[in-house]
Amino acid sequence: QHVGPAMTFLIYHPESKKVLHRSICRPFTSADANVRADAVDGEQSSDPQPAGGVEAPGMREEVEPEPPPPSVVYSRTKENINDHQTNDGTAPNSKDGTTPGTIPIINLEDLIGRTFLTGANADGTRDRVQIKELIDKHDKDILADKDRAQFRVTHGKERDDDIMTYNEILHHLENDESQNILWKYKRITSHQGPLNPKHPDYNGSSYNVMIEWENGEISAEPLNVVAKDDPVAVAVYAKDNDLLNTPGWKRFKAIAKRHKKYIRLINQAKLQSYRHSRKYMFGFEVPKDYADAIRLDKENGNNKWQEAIDRELSGVDQYETFEDLGHRDNFNPPRDHQRIKLMWTFAVKHDGRFKARLCARGDMTEEPIESVYAGVVSIRGIRLVMFLAELNDLECWAADVSQAYLTSFTTEKVYIIAGPEFGERENHILVIRKALYGLLASGKNYGDLFSEFMYDMGFTPCVAEPDIWLRPNEELDCYEYVAVYVDDLATAMADPAAFIQQMKERFHLEFKGDGPMVYHLGMDVGRDDKGTMYIEARKYVEKMSSNYERMFGEKPKANYKSPLEPNDHPETDTSDFLNPEGIAQYQSLVGSMQWAVTIGRFDISPAVTTMSSFRVAPRVGHLERCKRIIGYLTKFRSARIRIRTDEPDYSDIPLDVHSWMTTIYGDVREALPHDAPTPRGCYVLTTHYVDANLMHDVMTGRSMVGILHLVNQTPLDWSAKKTPSVECATYGSEMTAARICVDQIVEIRNLLRY
């Protein structure tokens, strides 16, 4: 059996005297096939034949560069196409006889000054819009900006400037009849040259670059043309092939030094939008915007979404969110205020309620200098509150603060122009006074206000989990708790109804869904026949199954008794890589399974950790394994975590004392926090299970560590992760696992003390 290529990792090239990684090489001839280097996206299975001086990529001094992301460039200009027509009058590489048009440039700065026509206004007219400037934000803002690169544009008539994303501008340019056709290419595969004017392949440039287009075709384009339209891609190619010191390529040195920033901008600009795909929640289609909500109501023959919108606007007005300055034709907005837009988000709750939320476009405002973030309680913290409620005979309630953010004032100076959903106030200038959802500082403003409410009610935040608030109950000699997850509250109190009523009367808060906890953050909560409280993820698993059916057109196969096959090693899978659609499906499944683990399904935690390692480049076999895990969850969707508060009996386990226990570190004692509150309530005993295997990943040698923490007889926290080191024996991997477990034990014990 020939295993040479599979065992080769480094290659010494005698001509260049360089050591090359096999992963960046491929064979120069198809006769010496590298069975480990499968053809990647758009790559031919065999190397193109050199012709006219074209350098075939292979194991040569210049190895094939890593393909840059797909770009949008100009094709040859109309003059160039006419100069190089074939005998029948058609342009080269044109299969249907049509002449390719020019293409919008990808260089963001080159878009400045271009114009396009917008869609029809209410009076039937169309505006000519000019692109004024690129909004140059800091790199970290560009990376966090979900709407990609942004431009400031101005209308032809007396109107305020507007902000448009790169994708929105391209959409208008495509619809504008005065613009040209969009062509996309994947990468530059090789180059040809230097060429003199007498060379048959000379196209007006001393070099040609071989362009691989989206349809798989490869054509030779003049370097000058491609460089004018997409200098970043050319600079990256020149740098990867050591051409920056070659005549004709030196001009790309400056760009190559800062190409990483440009690549980030390009990737952000070309992210696919998810706004056009249909979304479902609990079996109902969810609208994408206001117009889509009206469409769904007409199709369904009801007014459920319109009623949800009306309820939202009524609540917004109840909190005096807007200050109406009058119609835009009669009044001017405040000079120190910035105009932004609004957007609608929609959802369906677990009990069938239709929810509409009016949000501000906070991405159109400048980020404040001070922090704008507010924390939330962890899911582990919520489980702990539920356990303490059962342990100390408290009632466990859940409540949702209605229009939570609107109870606080905003610190930002912004206004909007009202849309049709505002009825008689359409086209009115509305100044935003309250912390409307979507504004950058709204979460922080609401969090600060709610903290003031809790302090006034006698609560103090937990030091280890700041979003768990506690206050002593002298009568029961225990603590009462409130766990805050934005506007969702989980309470453990002797009389939670009285607490909710006090919040309504003292702080004028409105609540909905308040009562004994039955569903919270994806977790189903109930009691079995014996009265024991339990947590399960049935509804979430059923939602995962519905998404699976819409994704693959069939129900998951619920005939598996384990998440993965015993002794399965997905890292050795050699099936084909998934296409972009398959990668998106794989990442969606992994993300949903990770949340299932978080809310209680720790039985799939090792399998999900294993499959998460392949999110960047998954294979067909990896997707099939994820399907198996979904099928396993579907079969055992009723798996529960029961909250049992009885202390476990370990009296039959001997505790032997040996002299070697104090040989290394001495007679050490656990360090206790000096600022912990006075202990109250019933006793809690912690139990911890830890185990590890050897060579869980046979490619890297890393082991898998599994840890389960219990308080009394209730699972509280769990984890499954790979060890950071490679161990040669099971003893070493188990010692590493024990050290990781001890760190977690210290954290949990301090959490219980605080």
Side-chain angles (χ1 to χ4, degrees), residues 346-611:
F346 301 91
V348 179
K349 296 297 185 178
H350 67 96
D351 54 3
R353 290 183 291 120
F354 283 55
K355 182 70 175 292
R357 175 75 71 190
L358 184 64
C359 301
R361 286 284 303 275
D363 59 302
M364 302 177 67
T365 64
E366 295 294 333
E367 183 174 349
I369 299 177
E370 64 275 5
S371 174
V372 295
Y373 298 102
V376 296
V377 65
S378 65
I379 302 299
R380 181 187 67 178
I382 294 177
R383 285 194 294 268
L384 181 59
V385 168
M386 297 171 64
F387 166 78
L388 294 175
E390 287 291 286
L391 180 68
N392 298 309
D393 294 327
L394 303 174
E395 292 189 50
C396 191
W397 273 34
D400 184 1
V401 182
S402 179
Q403 303 286 358
Y405 280 15
L406 301 184
T407 59
S408 61
F409 287 90
T410 183
T411 57
E412 303 179 55
K413 297 182 178 181
V414 289
Y415 73 95
I416 64 165
I417 302 298
E421 61 269 30
F422 285 88
E424 297 179 354
R425 292 179 291 176
E426 182 178 1
N427 286 323
H428 281 220
I429 299 175
L430 304 181
V431 176
I432 301 178
R433 301 175 58 250
K434 293 298 186 71
L436 193 64
Y437 286 89
L439 292 177
L440 295 180
S442 291
K444 184 69 164 56
N445 293 334
Y446 167 71
D448 292 343
L449 180 65
F450 192 83
S451 297
E452 295 179 8
F453 294 164
M454 296 303 293
Y455 279 117
D456 289 345
M457 297 284 288
F459 287 85
T460 56
C462 171
V463 175
E465 186 85 55
D467 288 284
I468 295 181
W469 296 78
L470 62 156
R471 70 179 178 185
N473 186 315
E474 301 294 345
E475 182 178 350
L476 299 178
D477 191 26
C478 66
Y479 287 99
E480 296 180 324
Y481 305 92
V482 178
V484 183
Y485 195 99
V486 190
D487 56 353
D488 292 312
L489 308 181
T491 64
M493 296 184 176
D495 189 0
F499 167 77
I500 297 296
Q501 187 62 32
Q502 289 178 359
M503 296 291 285
K504 291 179 179 179
E505 294 176 354
R506 294 180 59 178
F507 308 115
H508 308 290
L509 296 179
E510 296 293 333
F511 292 88
K512 53 190 176 185
D514 51 304
M517 187 181 295
V518 294
Y519 186 84
H520 196 67
L521 299 178
M523 299 179 290
D524 300 286
V525 182
R527 295 185 181 274
D528 58 17
D529 297 337
K530 298 181 180 180
T532 303
M533 178 181 284
Y534 64 81
I535 303 171
E536 67 178 7
R538 173 188 287 269
K539 283 190 176 67
Y540 185 75
V541 172
E542 291 175 349
K543 179 182 177 181
M544 292 173 63
S545 300
S546 300
N547 292 337
Y548 180 100
E549 187 174 358
R550 284 191 296 271
M551 192 179 296
F552 301 106
E554 60 180 3
K555 295 183 179 180
K557 297 178 181 179
N559 57 350
Y560 301 110
K561 296 183 179 180
S562 63
L564 293 177
E565 287 282 353
N567 300 318
D568 184 21
H569 289 280
E571 66 274 11
T572 62
D573 191 293
T574 57
S575 58
D576 294 336
F577 286 103
L578 294 173
N579 57 27
E581 181 182 2
I583 293 176
Q585 293 174 342
Y586 184 86
Q587 293 173 344
S588 175
L589 292 180
V590 170
S592 62
M593 292 187 298
Q594 287 175 332
W595 184 250
V597 172
T598 301
I599 62 178
R601 294 306 302 264
F602 57 83
D603 52 331
I604 66 170
S605 182
V608 174
T609 300
T610 301
M611 302 315 300

Side-chain angles (χ1 to χ4, degrees), residues 273-280 285-288 292 295:
S273 174
Y274 293 97
R275 296 178 182 176
H276 301 293
S277 59
R278 294 192 174 188
K279 297 181 181 179
Y280 297 84
E285 182 179 353
V286 179
K288 296 180 286 291
D292 199 34
R295 175 189 65 82

Side-chain angles (χ1 to χ4, degrees), residues 118-146:
T118 63
N121 298 320
D123 56 0
T125 61
R126 301 176 67 187
D127 296 333
R128 171 65 68 177
V129 176
Q130 184 180 26
I131 305 172
K132 299 294 291 184
E133 63 175 340
L134 170 66
I135 300 178
D136 186 17
K137 293 186 178 181
H138 195 268
D139 284 355
K140 67 182 183 65
D141 298 327
I142 294 292
L143 290 173
D145 184 9
K146 301 303 180 184

Side-chain angles (χ1 to χ4, degrees), residues 158 160 323-335 415-417 427-431:
E158 294 293 329
D160 297 322
E323 178 183 356
D324 190 352
L325 301 184
H327 198 279
R328 60 184 302 179
D329 293 340
N330 302 325
F331 298 91
N332 295 323
R335 292 185 176 182
Y415 73 95
I416 64 165
I417 302 298
N427 286 323
H428 281 220
I429 299 175
L430 304 181
V431 176

Side-chain angles (χ1 to χ4, degrees), residues 7 61 152 160 203 205 214 275 292 310 318 373 396 433 487-488 538 547 554 584 606 624 644 650 654 657 695 741 753:
M7 300 300 294
E61 182 172 354
R152 191 178 305 278
D160 297 322
N203 288 334
S205 177
E214 276 192 329
R275 296 178 182 176
D292 199 34
D310 293 341
Q318 179 181 353
Y373 298 102
C396 191
R433 301 175 58 250
D487 56 353
D488 292 312
R538 173 188 287 269
N547 292 337
E554 60 180 3
E624 293 302 318
R644 297 188 174 100
Y650 295 139
V657 179
M695 294 287 291
C741 183
R753 290 190 176 99

